[in-house]
Amino acid sequence: MTTPPRFARWLLDRALPDDVRGDTIRGDLLEEFRVRGAWWYWRHALSIVVRSRRFRRGRGREEKPSMVIESIWNDLKYAVRAYAKAPSFTLAVVATLALGIGASTAIFSMVNGILLQPLPLHDPGRLLYINEISPTGGRMTVSWPTFLDWVQRARTVESIADSREEPFTLTGVERARRIRGRRVTAGFLTVLDVHPALGRDLARDADRPNAPGEALVSDAFWRTALDADPHIVGRTLVLDNVAYSIVGVLPPEFVYIRPYDVFASMGPISGTAQLTERGNHSGFYAVGRLRPGVTVDAADGEFKAIAASLEREYPNTNAGVTARAERLADRVVADIRVTLLALFGAVGFLLLIACVNVANLLIARGAARQHELAVRAALGGGRLRLTLQMLVESTLISVVGGALGAAVAFWLLRALIAVAPDGTPRVESVRLDADALLFALASAAVCGLLFGLFPAFQASGVHGQHALVRARAAGASAGSHRLRRALMVVETALAIVLLTGAGLTMRTLQELTRLDTGFRVDHLLTMRVMLAGEQWSEPRRRSFSNDLGERVRAVPGVTKAALAYSLPIDGSQWNSVFVAADKPAPVRAETPSAAFSPVGVGYFDTLAMRVVRGRVFDARDSETAPLVVVINESLARRVWPGEDPVGKRLKQGWSDSRTPWREVVGVVGDVKFEGLTAETPMQVYVPLPQQPMRSVAIIVRTTAEPAAVTHAIEDVVRGIDKDLPLYSIRTMDEMLDASIARQRMSMVVFVVFAGVALVLASIGLYGVVAHGVTERTHEIGVRMALGAERRHVLALVVRQGLSMAVLGTVVGCAAALALSRSIEGLLFHVAPTDPATFAAVIVMLLGVATIACYVPAWRAARVDPTQALRAE
Amino acid sequence: MAEPAYLGEFEHLLLLAVLRLGDGASGPDIARELEQRAGRTVSRGHLYTSLDRLEDKGLLRWKAVAGAAAREGLPRRLYTVTPGGLAALRSARDVLRRMWRGLDGVLKEPAS
């Protein structure tokens, strides 16, 4: 480690004055840290922190405290002594506070950093996300001509831009590589209200077909790839074999949804058929800035109205198509909202449990101190004086618990980040959230104050002498004991809710990992390569694919290999409508749609997919051979139910499209295609030689660790063309892991929370039962003297403790059922009311509760009757 | 400087350590000296408050010099014993000598 522990350093910085004196000490510790290590640093930083008063002012000379300060100081000293006299109580409260505050703050910081942080853009509330909606109600990206119509007609937005994610291959550099790019229209920066830090924005007419390519580069890309050259403007970047001149560098703080290296202008592509065709929705969506004072609903209405008129003008392409405008910020977190809310709920529950536990402990202590307070009241301690004393005590313990909680949060957050699944977005931006810490601290402090004052009011409210007598008679705490039992029921109920959440998310993850993917997942390595630019003509792409397939298969350690356009789990970019030759042409809006996947020879074999009927592709399906397809079971079932689809014909496109008919030669089993949770879509596999694609995935089955052959394959590809970078290199296991990262994270959070909740609840239960036993020592002694057996006493105490747990379990189950709807979105193949999970949770909680009750009960059963009675 | 200041045991050791280290002793140097020679490990909180107290009594003074990269450029404080400090040490030594005199036989220590 080369930097001292962050939290210790932060504390030290606050303890020392901001002058030369402070700086020299900071420096000394830093220097010694390098020799003596982190542990040493912590110890000595704390030795300074506890003396911070002397360091910050006075330097050895204490100013004379005023009367109030002095009395508070005395109270403080008294409180420290009182806490020191009851170490187990103090430890319980401090540990509860630290765990509750720490865990909830850490999780909240995590959730906040990854999901909740507002878009770092100017006035994000006025930014809109606008896209088209298909006749079936699904989201579609925006066709280019439609976007141009929006620019002309929309009045509710002051500016509007179109953009899509578009990774580029950067060549003309020493080693060609893939970079993260976004294709944007000229108004993009205007909409976002961002100005380049260097150079200028894209030219106004940069969208015009065949306008020279222009590029804006991110600050990070400028610094890392372009050596932060101040004269970079005017230089050329070759992206997918097209030249773009760099016109500007974006400011360092600029981020649009995720990091990009380059933003490229539309000119080089806006004249291509792919874009000018109105029926083509090629990955763009629009972002607009609302005019001041205009609502999102008004804008949504306007875009729907424009869509309606476009529908009349272009019935062929726009029939049934509408549009939708929503807040950009909502859209960005839409997918993750359910997870977010469920985790947020869990955070709240955990904090509640911690508060209940603290309340419980404080009331117990209050009851135990009734006598002491009564004595003090009798000796003339005023109500104000006693209240102030209690206030000081609860504040002290809240502060200590809070400080420890901050440390717990700090460490826990580190641990969580360390175990966070690879590819968790924005993990690097996760920081300990000060607001969350403050909130957790404040709620714990308020709770501490409320329940800390409770005994003070009780004590000072009654006449001193009266209380003295009553306290001795042990009846004074009956009321507080009832309150504690009620709190215990609440706490158990809360724990049940969290445990159910943990159980259900665990079951979900189990279901997910057990799921049949339809292919063999192990020992598979995948990667992609992009054949961009004019020099990659169809014949050349074809021969490249043949060549590559052969050479990859020859790599040692590779048993099978195949090329494909799309991969299972990863999903497809090519979804299209299709028609079957022997079925009546459907209404336009009801034409079925399938994921089209061009795949090379050996694809099905490499993935070990099931062949249900007919044959799969082989060498005879060349570009000159008759056009064929293989379909998946879902498609066979939907389109040809009860028939043999082999020999039937289908074509991609509408019934009046001039695309060729293709013959179905085989049916293969369904595979999980878009992540693990989504239903398998209808799929049409096309032989790659008959449909050579520019973006190609290589799939390799290996004998040993798949990642080990990566370098060999990279060399093979570079051997064919040195300007072809490999990207998205992942094993299939990694892809699967990434696809369930969200579920895994919620499971981890729930399990951590539920574990803490269970510990707190059992500590609480133990405390209440043990306290009850102590209070009833006399009674138990009498019972035993009168002939009660040990096991009777044991049963009595355990029964009384368990009655709270059982009641709490009933309430908790009811609450969990009521809340089941909110967790539904996190689950997969598991009902939110899953009886097995509920049963397991109940058994677990009652088991732990029994142990927690049994320990004090065992102690009660060993009461010596003579001793107990003599104590009177 | 009429009456030499009274020295506590730890203050006594601190002043001696600074003297031993010669011209300009830094905090870490002083701590190391105490560790090695006197077998005393001292928390830095205690060390720096004690050094400040000696400064307040006029027995130590310090000057700040620029720090190296290992301390992120933070300055270093170099301590020297003032004439007052020397006087206090001398008087403390005299007191100890007087109190030791004649006890060598009882304590069975070789005379130094």
Side-chain angles (χ1 to χ4, degrees):
Chain A
M1 209 197 306
T2 52
T3 53
R6 278 221 317 261
F7 187 57
R9 189 166 190 177
W10 182 85
L11 284 174
L12 185 69
D13 278 346
R14 261 130 212 91
L16 291 170
D18 285 325
D19 55 12
V20 184
R21 268 171 205 285
D23 281 347
T24 53
I25 296 174
R26 285 183 193 104
D28 282 356
L29 260 77
L30 198 61
E31 189 183 327
E32 288 198 86
F33 154 76
R34 296 194 199 281
V35 187
R36 305 187 191 236
W39 180 236
W40 181 92
Y41 189 89
W42 257 111
R43 200 154 61 90
H44 290 276
L46 284 181
S47 82
I48 288 173
V49 170
V50 295
R51 292 178 179 83
S52 66
R53 258 163 57 100
R54 272 201 262 171
F55 280 102
R56 288 199 78 84
R57 43 174 182 169
R59 287 199 294 105
R61 253 161 285 180
E62 316 240 312
E63 61 257 60
K64 209 174 166 121
S66 70
M67 275 303 284
V68 179
I69 304 260
E70 193 171 20
S71 112
I72 288 182
W73 182 237
N74 283 336
D75 280 348
L76 215 54
K77 279 196 282 193
Y78 184 82
V80 170
R81 273 207 302 277
Y83 282 130
K85 263 194 285 181
S88 56
F89 160 80
T90 311
L91 197 70
V93 174
V94 169
T96 303
L97 282 172
L99 273 180
I101 292 176
S104 46
T105 308
I107 295 292
F108 183 82
S109 306
M110 186 101 176
V111 170
N112 187 23
I114 296 175
L115 317 171
L116 208 54
Q117 219 113 95
L119 296 176
L121 295 167
H122 174 66
D123 201 359
R126 277 170 56 210
L127 289 177
L128 291 182
Y129 172 96
I130 314 147
N131 61 299
E132 290 188 270
I133 303 286
S134 75
T136 53
R139 275 175 200 288
M140 281 197 300
T141 56
V142 182
S143 95
W144 180 244
T146 301
F147 171 73
L148 294 178
D149 288 330
W150 285 355
V151 174
Q152 292 302 317
R153 303 183 194 187
R155 292 287 162 269
T156 49
V157 288
E158 60 182 32
S159 53
I160 183 168
D162 221 11
S163 74
R164 76 171 175 198
E165 178 135 1
E166 192 175 330
F168 296 107
T169 301
L170 174 69
T171 49
V173 290
E174 198 173 321
R175 203 178 158 93
R177 61 191 181 99
R178 289 291 279 185
I179 58 172
R180 301 164 299 180
R182 202 166 179 93
R183 181 78 68 174
V184 299
T185 58
F188 187 67
L189 291 191
T190 313
V191 173
L192 301 182
D193 197 10
V194 172
H195 305 281
L198 200 68
R200 61 167 173 86
D201 196 354
L202 300 175
R204 272 167 186 283
D205 64 348
D207 299 347
R208 183 173 47 80
N210 298 320
E214 294 188 344
L216 293 159
V217 294
S218 73
D219 182 74
F221 185 73
W222 177 59
R223 283 179 200 286
T224 54
L226 305 174
D227 305 325
D229 179 0
H231 306 294
I232 196 70
V233 171
R235 266 202 16 210
T236 301
L237 285 180
V238 182
L239 306 175
D240 288 353
N241 290 308
V242 178
Y244 291 81
S245 70
I246 298 174
V247 298
V249 178
L250 291 161
E253 70 280 0
F254 173 73
V255 184
Y256 183 70
I257 316 291
R258 55 179 77 81
Y260 291 103
D261 298 318
V262 51
F263 294 81
S265 73
M266 294 291 301
I269 63 161
S270 60
T272 58
Q274 200 208 13
L275 263 78
T276 52
E277 180 89 24
R278 191 173 285 270
N280 249 341
H281 300 265
S282 38
F284 286 90
Y285 70 79
V287 53
R289 188 171 283 277
L290 275 177
R291 272 182 206 289
V294 177
T295 63
V296 177
D297 285 343
D300 187 48
E302 188 189 39
F303 280 97
K304 285 199 164 56
I306 297 175
S309 57
L310 289 177
E311 210 178 327
R312 284 191 298 277
E313 292 163 44
Y314 309 99
N316 244 349
T317 50
N318 283 35
V321 172
T322 178
R324 176 167 172 196
E326 61 198 305
R327 234 181 265 285
L328 179 65
D330 292 345
R331 177 67 201 131
V332 172
V333 296
D335 296 337
I336 209 93
R337 164 152 293 149
V338 193
T339 313
L340 183 74
L341 288 180
L343 293 188
F344 204 69
V347 169
F349 272 88
L350 186 72
L351 200 56
L352 254 175
I353 290 185
C355 287
V356 171
N357 221 17
V358 170
N360 214 332
L361 288 162
L362 285 173
I363 291 173
R365 182 170 153 82
R369 289 175 70 191
Q370 206 76 42
H371 181 65
E372 173 210 327
L373 290 173
V375 171
R376 293 182 57 176
L379 292 176
R383 176 184 279 232
L384 184 71
R385 197 66 198 74
L386 286 185
T387 310
L388 193 67
Q389 157 92 53
M390 289 289 135
L391 209 67
V392 168
E393 283 191 20
S394 15
T395 311
L396 176 69
I397 204 149
S398 302
V399 168
V400 171
L404 273 177
V408 168
F410 186 78
W411 292 116
L412 196 60
L413 195 59
R414 266 204 181 176
L416 275 173
I417 291 173
V419 302
D422 274 351
T424 306
R426 304 220 275 175
V427 156
E428 64 288 343
S429 70
V430 171
R431 295 274 175 281
L432 199 59
D433 190 80
D435 292 341
L437 190 61
L438 217 65
F439 174 76
L441 246 170
S443 38
V446 166
C447 161
L449 285 185
L450 266 175
F451 290 94
L453 288 181
F454 181 78
F457 277 114
Q458 263 192 340
S460 53
V462 286
H463 287 295
Q465 203 183 9
H466 186 53
L468 265 178
V469 176
R470 272 176 44 103
R472 207 63 202 132
S477 57
S480 69
H481 201 63
R482 224 172 298 133
L483 183 59
R484 291 191 65 193
R485 292 176 63 88
L487 283 175
M488 232 13 262
V489 171
V490 173
E491 195 173 332
T492 322
L494 292 172
I496 282 275
V497 173
L498 280 182
L499 280 171
T500 334
L504 291 173
T505 46
M506 272 168 87
R507 289 265 296 119
T508 295
L509 209 67
Q510 197 186 16
E511 286 291 319
L512 282 173
T513 46
R514 233 199 257 160
L515 215 57
D516 180 18
T517 53
F519 63 98
R520 240 182 77 205
V521 174
D522 59 288
H523 291 94
L524 274 184
L525 180 70
T526 74
M527 60 201 82
R528 300 196 80 96
V529 61
M530 181 76 170
L531 309 174
E534 274 165 18
Q535 79 273 35
W536 285 103
S537 58
E538 264 201 40
R540 197 163 161 224
R541 274 167 9 221
R542 212 171 274 131
S543 74
F544 170 82
S545 300
N546 288 335
D547 212 13
L548 182 64
E550 251 161 58
R551 291 203 203 183
V552 169
R553 267 184 282 267
V555 170
V558 172
T559 54
K560 288 166 184 170
L563 303 182
Y565 172 64
S566 47
L567 295 169
I569 309 298
D570 205 26
S572 170
Q573 297 300 316
W574 186 16
N575 293 292
S576 169
V577 289
F578 67 93
V579 285
D582 60 335
K583 301 282 168 191
V587 195
R588 228 180 158 79
E590 283 164 19
T591 310
S593 153
F596 278 73
S597 320
V599 300
V601 174
Y603 175 85
F604 303 101
D605 185 36
T606 306
L607 288 176
M609 284 167 63
R610 205 156 41 86
V611 181
V612 180
R613 248 168 211 292
R615 65 171 180 95
V616 292
F617 305 135
D618 52 34
R620 81 189 102 133
D621 301 308
S622 65
E623 73 267 31
T624 50
L627 299 181
V628 294
V629 296
V630 166
I631 58 173
N632 72 347
E633 275 183 304
S634 287
L635 194 147
R637 251 197 321 271
R638 288 265 290 282
V639 179
W640 290 287
E643 297 174 62
D644 183 358
V646 173
K648 301 273 174 26
R649 290 184 311 146
L650 61 75
K651 71 173 180 181
Q652 180 241 326
W654 305 99
S655 52
D656 52 359
S657 302
R658 263 178 288 164
T659 43
W661 291 100
R662 297 163 191 266
E663 190 189 328
V664 177
V665 294
V667 181
V668 293
D670 282 352
V671 293
K672 288 289 167 190
F673 194 61
E674 276 154 357
L676 271 176
T677 49
E679 194 102 350
T680 302
M682 291 194 271
Q683 269 188 274
V684 178
Y685 297 96
V686 185
L688 196 59
Q690 295 180 358
Q691 188 81 41
M693 307 299 283
R694 286 183 182 277
S695 165
V696 186
I698 307 169
I699 312 162
V700 167
R701 188 172 287 285
T702 61
T703 44
E705 178 56 35
V709 299
T710 313
H711 281 299
I713 295 176
E714 265 181 322
D715 289 344
V716 166
V717 175
R718 277 192 212 291
I720 300 177
D721 186 326
K722 73 166 181 55
D723 277 347
L724 284 180
L726 284 176
Y727 60 98
S728 293
I729 302 172
R730 291 171 298 176
T731 65
M732 192 48 82
D733 284 321
E734 286 168 357
M735 269 165 75
L736 280 172
D737 276 354
S739 75
I740 56 172
R742 190 167 62 98
Q743 285 90 344
R744 185 178 303 109
M745 193 169 104
S746 22
M747 188 219 45
V748 167
V749 171
F750 265 110
V751 167
V752 168
F753 276 21
V756 174
L758 195 62
V759 169
L760 290 183
S762 51
I763 291 175
L765 203 59
Y766 169 84
V768 175
V769 175
H771 184 70
V773 167
T774 318
E775 284 203 328
R776 294 169 65 187
T777 308
H778 178 67
E779 179 204 328
I780 292 170
V782 171
R783 276 173 192 262
M784 292 186 74
L786 292 178
E789 285 180 39
R790 286 235 159 115
R791 59 191 172 86
H792 291 141
V793 175
L794 206 68
L796 174 83
V797 176
V798 170
R799 196 164 54 233
Q800 289 218 331
L802 272 187
S803 65
M804 293 181 268
V806 170
L807 195 58
T809 305
V810 172
V811 176
C813 285
L817 286 176
L819 287 170
S820 63
R821 187 158 278 275
S822 62
I823 198 179
E824 218 164 358
L826 289 185
L827 305 183
F828 178 75
H829 279 196
V830 178
T833 54
D834 183 46
T837 306
F838 272 81
V841 163
I842 292 171
V843 168
M844 184 161 163
L845 187 112
L846 290 183
V848 171
T850 311
I851 297 171
C853 297
Y854 195 87
V855 177
W858 183 75
R859 237 177 43 211
R862 292 175 60 93
V863 164
D864 179 355
T866 51
Q867 203 98 74
L869 294 177
R870 201 179 300 141
E872 198 47 17
Chain B
M1 276 293 175
E3 190 86 349
Y6 165 76
L7 286 180
E9 191 245 3
F10 186 60
E11 295 174 333
H12 195 155
L13 289 181
L14 273 182
L15 286 180
L16 288 175
V18 175
L19 268 186
R20 299 194 74 88
L21 288 163
D23 228 17
S26 73
D29 294 338
I30 299 169
R32 207 173 314 117
E33 187 70 13
L34 284 175
E35 250 167 62
Q36 284 168 1
R37 204 163 285 275
R40 290 271 288 253
T41 49
V42 52
S43 84
R44 296 303 178 267
H46 188 198
L47 176 72
Y48 291 115
T49 45
S50 303
L51 288 172
D52 281 348
R53 195 167 59 242
L54 288 172
E55 183 198 344
D56 289 339
K57 290 185 182 174
L59 309 182
L60 274 183
R61 64 161 171 262
W62 55 266
K63 63 170 193 266
V65 298
R71 33 198 296 142
E72 295 177 5
L74 290 165
R76 182 196 291 276
R77 234 192 285 183
L78 295 180
Y79 292 90
T80 38
V81 179
T82 60
L86 287 174
L89 275 173
R90 261 184 225 110
S91 116
R93 185 186 56 190
D94 292 346
V95 170
L96 285 178
R97 273 204 184 130
R98 280 198 295 278
M99 293 303 285
W100 270 101
R101 196 162 298 151
L103 289 179
D104 293 346
V106 181
L107 288 161
K108 301 236 164 54
E109 293 274 342
S112 50

